[in-house]
Amino acid sequence: MQFIGLQGCGVHLRLRSLQALLLACCLPPLFLLAALPLAADQRQEAAPQLIGHLDLRQWNFADDGPVPLTMDWRFYPDTLLQVEGVGVAPERVQVPEIWNRRVQQEGRAGYGTGTYALTVLLPPDAGKLGLSIRTLSSAFSVFANGTLVAKAGVVGPNAAASKPAYRPQVALLPDTDGRLDLLVQVSNFHHARGGLWDLVNLGGYEALSEQFQRDLQLSMFLASVALLLGVYHLMIWSQRRRDTSVLVFAALCVSLALRTLCTGEIYLLQLVPNLPYNVQVRTEYLSIILLVALGTVFVATVFPQEFGRRALYALTVPHGLYFLMVCLGPVAFFSRYLLLFHALVITCVLYSLYVTIKATLHRCDGAIPYALSIAAVALFILHSVLVTIFPEFLGLDAIRGSEYLLPVGFVGVLFTQAMVLAQRSTSAMEALELRTQELSAARDRLDDYAQELERRVAERTAELENANAQLDQLARIDSLTELPNRRHFDEKLSDAWADHARGKRPLSLVLVDVDHFKQYNDHYGHVQGDQVLKQVAAALREAVKRPTDFVARYGGEELVALLPNTERAGALQIAERMRRQVEALEIPHAAGEHGLLTVSVGLGSAVPETGEAAYQLLRQADKALYRAKSGGRNQVQAVT
C-alpha cells in the first residue's frame, strides 16, 4: 500500500484519498462548464432568430415565457437615431456585447455613442408586452415603434450633454400591431466599457414585472441573511475577541450584503432612489473588493499555517491599492483596470481553494466543508468573470441572468463558517463544563449558573423589548404606501384635538378618495393599482409643506391629512394643491371621467372644544367628500 507523508498536523494520508478529494472538487465544475454550450443551443432552438430580425409570430408568451434578445442586431456607431435612416448602412453586432472594439472616441476605448436596432415580428394576439432591461453602459433610451418607453440617464453626443445612470427596469411597450421596431440609443463617456452589454428580455409585461419583483425580493433576502450572520458573529466576537477570524467573518458578511444590494436588479436603488451614478458604481466596485479581500483574509486566519504570511501580503496589498483607486479616482479611470482586478480575484479564489485542500490533507478542523464551498464559489466567480469580460463567450448566456449564483455561493461559505464555529463552540463549552465539574465546588457551580441565567434573561428581555418596539413601529406604518396607518392616525387625531382644544386653535382635516379605484384595479390589475396608491401617497406627501402636517392612509383607497393650526381658507388651498398634485401625475384611467386618475377631496375645519369628540371633524370631512363625489368627482368640497 502506497502512502504520502504530510507535515503540519503530523498525519499520513493515502494517495488515493488525495486523488478522490481532488476529483470531488474538480469534476462538478467541469461538468457544469461542459453543459453550458448545450444549454445555450437549446435556448437558441427555443427562440428562432434571424440576423437583425426576430420572427416570433408562432411564439406564445403566456405559455413559452419571455424571449432573451441575444442575437445579431443592427448597429449604427457614432449615431443616435429615433427612426432608422434610409441609406445608412448598419453593422452587425452580437447582443449582449461591449462595443469597445467597434466604438472609440477621444482616444478612449469604449467612449462614444451608437444606436442598436432590431425588428421583431409578433403574433396578433400577443397581449400587453414589456421589455426587461438591466444595466447598459452608461446611458440609454429605448424606442419602440418610435415611442420612448424606457431610459436611464441622459443620452448625448458628448460627455457634457450626457448623464450616466444604471436603472434596471421593466418597460411597457405600446400596441405593436404584429411588428415591433426597437431602437436603443446608448452613449458612454464615463466608463471604460460601453454598449448594450447585458440582457434585454421581451415578454408579457405582467410576467416580467412579477419576475423583477421576485428578483428584488431574492436580493433582499440574501442581503438580510448575510447581514444577520454578520451581526450575530460580531456579537460573538465581542464576547471573545481573541478569535480574529470571527471578526473578519462578520465584516465578510456585511460586505456580501452590500454586494448583493448592488447587483442584479440593484435593490440599493429601491432604498436610495436618487443615488448618484458615481456613488453607485463606487459602491459596486468597493463591495466586491472588500468581499474578495476579506474572504482571502478569512481563509488565512482560519488556516494560518497553510496560507503563509507572504502570500497573504501579496494578495491583499493589490486589493488595498485598487480600493484607494476606486475611492479617489473617477469611474472612467478605475474601471479600465477591471480586467486586472478580475485576474486578481481568480488568483485569490484559486489560492484559497488550494489552501483549504492542503488543510484537508492535514486533517484540520472544518477543512472539507470549506474546500467544497470555496470550490463552488470559484466556479461561480469564474462564470461571473467570463460573462462580464466576454458576454458572448462559449454560450454562457445559458445561465446569464443568474446574478445570484455568486451570492448564493458565498452564503454557502457563510453557513460553513457558522457550522464550524458551532462545532468549535460546542467542543469548547463541553471542555469548559468538564473542567468546571472537576475543579469547582457545588456552591461555585450554582453561583456560576445563577449569574449565567441572569445574564441570559437580561439579554432575552432586551431582545424582546427591541422586538416589541420594532413590532410597534411596524404596526403604525402602512406597508404599501409607507405612510402612517389608520391606528397611528387615530392616535394623532385624538392628541391634536385635545391640544388644540386647550389652546383654542383651529384644526383642519382633509379626506382624499381615489376616484373609481375599483374600476382601475379591474382594468389594470391589482399590482398596477398598488403602484398607483404609492404614487398618490407620494404626491400627497409633496403637497403638504409643513413638518407638522400629518398624512396617513385611512383605509383602502382613502388617505387623510391632518393640518394643525390651519383655518378653513388655508386648508382649502392645501386640499386643492393635493388634488392638482395627483392630477399632474397624468396616470391613465380608462374608467375615469377625464381619462386620467383623479381624487375627490373633502375638508372639515373646526376649533376643538373640550368635551367634544374628535371624530366630529372626521365626520365633517367625510360628509364633504360625499358631496365632492356626488358633484362629479375630481374636486374639493368643504362643509360650511
Side-chain angles (χ1 to χ4, degrees):
M1 188 72 68
Q2 186 178 5
F3 290 84
I4 178 172
L6 296 171
Q7 301 295 327
C9 293
V11 298
H12 296 276
L13 291 179
R14 295 182 180 180
L15 182 58
R16 292 181 180 178
S17 300
L18 172 61
Q19 294 172 346
L21 178 61
L22 293 177
L23 287 175
C25 294
C26 297
L27 283 180
L30 292 177
F31 279 126
L32 287 175
L33 290 177
L36 294 181
L38 177 60
D41 293 340
Q42 292 175 348
R43 172 171 292 185
Q44 295 294 334
E45 291 175 2
Q49 298 180 359
L50 299 174
I51 297 177
H53 294 74
L54 183 60
D55 189 349
L56 296 178
R57 286 175 292 185
Q58 304 302 320
W59 192 267
N60 189 323
F61 289 97
D63 298 333
D64 302 330
V67 178
L69 303 181
T70 54
M71 57 177 298
D72 286 343
W73 289 46
R74 300 184 296 277
F75 181 60
Y76 300 87
D78 305 322
T79 306
L80 297 175
L81 301 176
Q82 292 189 17
V83 178
E84 288 193 81
V86 179
V88 180
E91 301 179 7
R92 294 178 180 178
V93 297
Q94 173 69 29
V95 172
E97 182 187 63
I98 60 173
W99 69 18
N100 290 30
R101 296 187 294 272
R102 300 177 181 274
V103 174
Q104 185 172 353
Q105 287 188 6
E106 304 176 9
R108 304 287 293 276
Y111 276 28
T113 61
T115 302
Y116 295 82
L118 179 67
T119 300
V120 184
L121 301 181
L122 298 169
D125 56 347
K128 186 164 60 173
L129 299 180
L131 285 179
S132 175
I133 306 169
R134 299 290 183 84
T135 56
L136 311 181
S137 182
S138 56
F140 68 88
S141 296
V142 180
F143 294 86
N145 294 342
T147 302
L148 178 65
V149 296
K151 64 177 298 185
V154 178
V155 176
N158 51 54
S162 64
K163 180 180 179 181
Y166 286 162
R167 189 70 56 179
Q169 55 192 283
V170 176
L172 176 63
L173 298 180
D175 294 337
T176 58
D177 293 331
R179 178 186 175 94
L180 175 63
D181 291 313
L182 286 178
L183 287 177
V184 182
Q185 298 178 351
V186 181
S187 67
N188 176 55
F189 298 93
H190 302 82
H191 198 281
R193 304 190 311 154
L196 210 161
W197 63 9
D198 209 337
L199 277 182
V200 176
N201 289 325
L202 173 65
Y205 177 73
E206 297 294 339
L208 291 177
S209 299
E210 291 176 1
Q211 182 60 47
F212 187 85
Q213 292 301 320
R214 285 195 296 269
D215 290 342
L216 283 177
Q217 293 170 4
L218 177 59
S219 176
M220 180 181 64
F221 170 75
L222 293 174
S224 300
V225 170
L227 187 60
L228 288 175
L229 284 174
V231 173
Y232 172 72
H233 285 83
L234 187 61
M235 294 172 60
I236 293 177
W237 175 81
S238 66
Q239 301 298 320
R240 191 173 184 271
R241 301 190 178 185
R242 290 180 296 176
D243 191 354
T244 57
S245 65
V246 177
L247 177 61
V248 176
F249 181 76
L252 178 63
C253 293
V254 175
S255 63
L256 175 60
L258 182 61
R259 176 63 182 172
T260 306
L261 296 177
C262 297
T263 56
E265 277 62 35
I266 312 182
Y267 189 80
L268 184 62
L269 292 179
Q270 305 294 320
L271 303 177
V272 189
N274 297 322
L275 188 66
Y277 170 81
N278 288 337
V279 177
Q280 181 181 339
V281 176
R282 291 181 201 278
T283 304
E284 178 185 359
Y285 275 64
L286 292 176
S287 65
I288 189 61
I289 293 172
L290 290 174
L291 185 62
V292 178
L294 289 172
T296 304
V297 174
F298 172 70
V299 176
T301 56
V302 173
F303 306 113
Q305 298 296 328
E306 289 74 17
F307 203 100
R309 182 171 297 181
R310 292 182 180 178
L312 179 61
Y313 290 154
L315 293 175
T316 55
V317 169
H319 282 89
L321 296 178
Y322 197 52
F323 184 93
L324 294 176
M325 189 184 301
V326 172
C327 290
L328 303 178
V331 174
F333 173 70
F334 63 74
S335 61
R336 276 187 278 167
Y337 300 95
L338 185 60
L339 183 61
L340 293 177
F341 178 69
H342 283 156
L344 177 62
V345 169
I346 294 176
T347 302
C348 290
V349 174
L350 293 180
Y351 187 78
S352 298
L353 179 60
Y354 160 76
V355 168
T356 54
I357 294 176
K358 185 178 178 181
T360 301
L361 300 177
H362 290 178
R363 298 279 182 90
C364 296
D365 292 339
I368 293 179
Y370 280 127
L372 294 177
S373 58
I374 293 178
V377 171
L379 174 64
F380 297 150
I381 286 181
L382 179 61
H383 157 254
S384 178
V385 170
L386 289 177
V387 169
T388 302
I389 301 176
F390 308 107
E392 70 283 5
F393 180 73
L394 289 179
L396 288 179
D397 292 336
I399 54 175
R400 178 184 295 275
S402 55
E403 290 82 1
Y404 303 104
L405 285 177
L406 184 57
V408 169
F410 270 104
V411 167
V413 177
L414 304 188
F415 278 108
T416 299
Q417 161 64 7
M419 180 184 67
V420 173
L421 182 61
Q423 293 176 348
R424 292 177 178 176
S425 299
T426 301
S427 301
M429 291 186 65
E430 290 176 353
L432 179 60
E433 290 175 356
L434 181 60
R435 292 286 185 265
T436 303
Q437 291 174 1
E438 293 175 350
L439 302 177
S440 300
R443 188 181 185 88
D444 293 337
R445 291 201 304 270
L446 290 175
D447 291 339
D448 292 340
Y449 289 155
Q451 293 176 4
E452 180 69 8
L453 181 59
E454 291 177 358
R455 184 183 64 82
R456 291 187 179 183
V457 169
E459 290 179 354
R460 296 297 184 269
T461 302
E463 291 175 358
L464 288 174
E465 290 175 353
N466 292 334
N468 289 333
Q470 294 176 0
L471 288 174
D472 182 68
Q473 179 66 19
L474 291 174
R476 298 162 67 90
I477 299 297
D478 178 65
S479 60
L480 176 63
T481 61
E482 298 182 354
L483 292 176
N485 58 15
R486 172 72 176 272
R487 172 188 172 186
H488 195 179
F489 167 74
D490 291 341
E491 296 173 356
K492 194 75 174 181
L493 176 60
S494 178
D495 294 340
W497 182 272
D499 179 68
H500 284 67
R502 288 191 295 269
K504 301 299 182 182
R505 291 176 284 118
L507 178 65
S508 297
L509 186 147
V510 178
L511 193 59
V512 181
D513 183 84
V514 180
D515 295 329
H516 301 296
F517 187 71
K518 181 180 182 303
Q519 292 86 338
Y520 188 94
N521 274 339
D522 294 341
H523 187 272
Y524 295 96
H526 290 278
V527 174
Q528 185 64 24
D530 290 344
Q531 296 299 320
V532 164
L533 284 180
K534 292 181 181 179
Q535 292 179 267
V536 172
L540 297 185
R541 275 198 301 259
E542 294 178 1
V544 297
K545 305 298 183 182
R546 300 177 305 176
T548 57
D549 296 337
F550 183 82
V551 180
R553 184 181 182 184
Y554 190 70
E557 65 272 21
E558 290 186 339
L559 298 98
V560 64
L562 193 62
L563 309 177
N565 301 316
T566 304
E567 299 179 346
R568 181 174 180 274
L572 279 173
Q573 296 179 2
I574 296 176
E576 179 62 21
R577 184 164 64 239
M578 296 168 76
R579 185 197 65 80
R580 291 198 306 268
Q581 197 86 355
V582 174
E583 190 177 44
L585 295 176
E586 297 184 355
I587 301 174
H589 190 347
E593 284 86 355
H594 310 287
L596 297 176
L597 186 130
T598 60
V599 295
S600 298
V601 184
L603 171 65
S605 297
V607 176
E609 294 289 341
T610 304
E612 295 182 355
Y615 282 96
Q616 293 180 2
L617 191 62
L618 185 60
R619 283 195 291 268
Q620 290 183 22
D622 185 68
K623 183 178 179 181
L625 176 61
Y626 179 78
R627 292 170 55 182
K629 295 169 70 174
S630 301
R633 294 183 170 82
N634 192 24
Q635 58 182 271
V636 178
Q637 290 289 340
V639 176
T640 58

